[in-house]
Amino acid sequence: MECDVLIVGGGPAGLSLARSLADSSLRVMVVERQPETAIAVPGYDGREIALTHRSIATLKALGAWHLLPPDEISPLNEARVLNGASPFALSFETTGHGGGPLSLMVPNHRIREALYHSVRDQPNLTLLTGSGVSAVKTDARSVRVMLEDGRSISARLLVAADSRFSRVRELLGIDAEVNRLGRSMMVCRVTHEEDHHGVATEWFDHHQTVAMLPLNGRRSSAVLTLPAEAMKRVAALDDAALGDELTRRYQGRLGRMQVDAPAHVYPLATTYARHFAAPRAALIGDAAVGMHPVTAHGFNLGLQSQATLARLVREAAGSGQDIAAASLLRRYEMTHRLASRPLYAATNFLVRLYTDERPGARLARDATLRVGSRLPLARRAITAMLMQR
């Protein structure tokens, strides 16, 4: 089989890139290990995505936004950061930024579903499912990919969009900075007695981190982060006991909580590829940068990476240039590295500071929040980053 652009990974980044190339003359192919039913009707996975204004605009341009169920789009109006037992909170809201919400919360599986339906009938797209990649060979003019079922595909450009532990990245010989954090994250929809008023909280308590992300009505996405061993005990609780446990851990701030959807647990690891490109190949999404979820920007960076690459590829194709030229791939890598590296480094620093239980670190945490509250320019810059208009 032959195509112009071969995308490995049928997740949000991969499907978004395929859709971004819909108006080009390029033949696009997406290879996904899972069966097609798994991406056509993805199951609920617990993750709620805080979409920036830029990401919302991207999904609208891709024709996916109007496919989302309106009742599952929830406004996030303000974000507050709490530390330990301190009553002080550092707040970020939209005053001075044009009003409206900081971001909109949308379930991850609904975004995946909408993106699948946006590409389902795309004329220049072929979707191959049910087989992964076993080998990759590149030369000056093309790249050849062998699938596990024995099929072979030749392409002008290969794009890896197959998760933060990317098999294609490995086959391309690209190393990555991998940080396995020894912690696990539980995500769980809950109902509660009190109104959240559209406010998200990130509470760095001692030996745990609890985030509450507002959903429509008196519902939230509870995000609990614990050491991996401690999480095993919590994950074994039934729904009634888990509701009580989350109420206790959040100190009843929203009243009594009850589990509203199945909990999901994910081991935490961050990754950053040493390069985002190789001869005739590029990395997007989590294959390029696997963010810690604390800043909720991993998904948004993934959408940004595919948009950057798609723009360069469309420009090259429109002018009859090589869509996988080394100069094009260097421009993509430089652009996305500038967009991602500062945020990745700042996020990892934040996580290290606010999960360090040594006395000096505890004092530094509170001091950092209080200093931040006295720096309005810094707060406005962080708010602008969170919104990304």
Side-chain angles (χ1 to χ4, degrees):
M1 294 179 285
E2 293 184 356
C3 63
D4 296 305
V5 181
L6 173 59
I7 304 165
V8 179
L15 293 180
S16 295
L17 177 60
R19 182 61 180 169
S20 292
L21 299 176
D23 59 354
S24 72
S25 60
L26 300 170
R27 298 165 299 163
V28 181
M29 190 173 290
V30 173
V31 171
E32 168 56 46
R33 178 185 294 276
Q34 298 183 93
E36 186 166 355
T37 52
I39 56 174
V41 189
Y44 170 74
D45 61 11
R47 290 176 287 188
E48 307 284 342
I49 307 300
L51 292 170
T52 63
H53 292 260
R54 179 187 296 174
S55 292
I56 293 166
T58 298
L59 291 173
K60 287 179 178 179
L62 296 177
W65 183 257
H66 77 281
L67 299 174
L68 296 171
D71 62 344
E72 294 211 56
I73 301 173
S74 310
L76 192 163
N77 299 321
E78 181 183 345
R80 295 176 186 165
V81 182
L82 309 171
N83 176 50
S86 172
F88 178 78
L90 180 60
S91 178
F92 301 95
E93 39 82 30
T94 57
T95 301
H97 290 271
L102 275 175
S103 60
L104 295 178
M105 303 294 303
V106 182
N108 182 59
H109 73 291
R110 293 301 188 196
I111 300 174
R112 294 168 63 93
E113 183 179 55
L115 285 168
Y116 168 80
H117 285 285
S118 74
V119 303
R120 183 179 57 182
D121 299 319
Q122 187 170 311
N124 69 333
L125 174 65
T126 301
L127 180 62
L128 298 179
T129 59
S131 184
V133 172
S134 62
V136 173
K137 294 182 179 180
T138 62
D139 58 36
R141 302 183 64 181
S142 67
V143 56
R144 182 167 294 277
V145 172
M146 294 295 297
L147 302 186
E148 292 169 346
D149 62 9
R151 289 180 291 181
S152 173
I153 306 168
S154 177
R156 296 163 63 194
L157 172 65
L158 170 65
V159 181
D162 57 337
S163 88
R164 64 187 61 198
F165 301 111
S166 170
R167 171 64 172 159
V168 173
R169 184 181 68 212
E170 178 184 344
L171 291 171
L172 289 168
I174 300 176
D175 291 332
E177 171 189 320
V178 179
N179 302 300
R180 298 181 186 274
L181 303 177
R183 293 173 174 263
S184 295
M185 176 184 72
M186 172 184 282
V187 285
C188 178
R189 276 189 191 176
V190 295
T191 60
H192 39 74
E193 296 173 325
E194 303 298 328
D195 194 338
H196 50 54
H197 301 291
V199 177
T201 59
E202 186 82 35
W203 178 32
F204 296 98
D205 192 23
H206 304 314
H207 305 292
Q208 68 171 10
T209 302
V210 185
M212 286 291 167
L213 307 177
L215 304 178
N216 290 331
R218 293 190 175 183
R219 297 187 309 146
S220 292
S221 174
V223 185
L224 174 66
T225 303
L226 293 171
E229 286 301 315
M231 183 62 80
K232 290 180 181 179
R233 183 190 68 80
V234 177
L237 299 175
D238 62 28
D239 284 355
L242 180 57
D244 292 339
E245 179 78 358
L246 292 172
T247 301
R248 180 186 68 80
R249 287 182 175 275
Y250 200 54
Q251 297 185 349
R253 287 180 172 90
L254 290 172
R256 185 167 180 265
M257 296 183 183
Q258 293 181 296
V259 173
D260 191 46
H264 293 258
V265 175
Y266 299 95
L268 287 179
T270 63
T271 59
Y272 199 92
R274 303 294 185 191
H275 299 284
F276 296 164
R280 301 223 155 253
L283 313 182
I284 64 171
D286 281 358
V289 183
M291 292 283 292
H292 192 287
V294 68
T295 55
H297 261 325
F299 185 97
N300 296 298
L301 271 179
L303 277 188
Q304 189 174 343
S305 67
Q306 70 78 27
T308 299
L309 181 61
R311 175 178 56 80
L312 294 172
V313 169
R314 286 198 308 267
E315 289 174 357
S319 59
Q321 303 298 311
D322 185 357
I323 63 170
S327 58
L328 181 153
L329 296 176
R330 282 196 299 270
R331 286 176 61 196
Y332 163 68
E333 175 160 12
M334 180 182 67
T335 301
H336 193 49
R337 193 169 293 277
L338 287 173
S340 62
R341 190 70 202 191
L343 183 59
Y344 179 81
T347 300
N348 288 351
F349 170 78
L350 181 73
V351 170
R352 286 194 299 271
L353 176 63
Y354 282 89
T355 57
D356 190 337
E357 293 300 327
R358 291 174 296 181
R362 292 186 184 184
L363 291 173
R365 292 202 289 257
D366 191 58
T368 300
L369 292 184
R370 291 183 183 276
V371 169
S373 71
R374 297 185 177 94
L375 298 174
L377 290 178
R379 289 175 62 196
R380 283 199 291 270
I382 294 173
T383 300
M385 178 199 73
L386 293 172
M387 296 180 71
Q388 282 191 352
R389 284 196 182 276

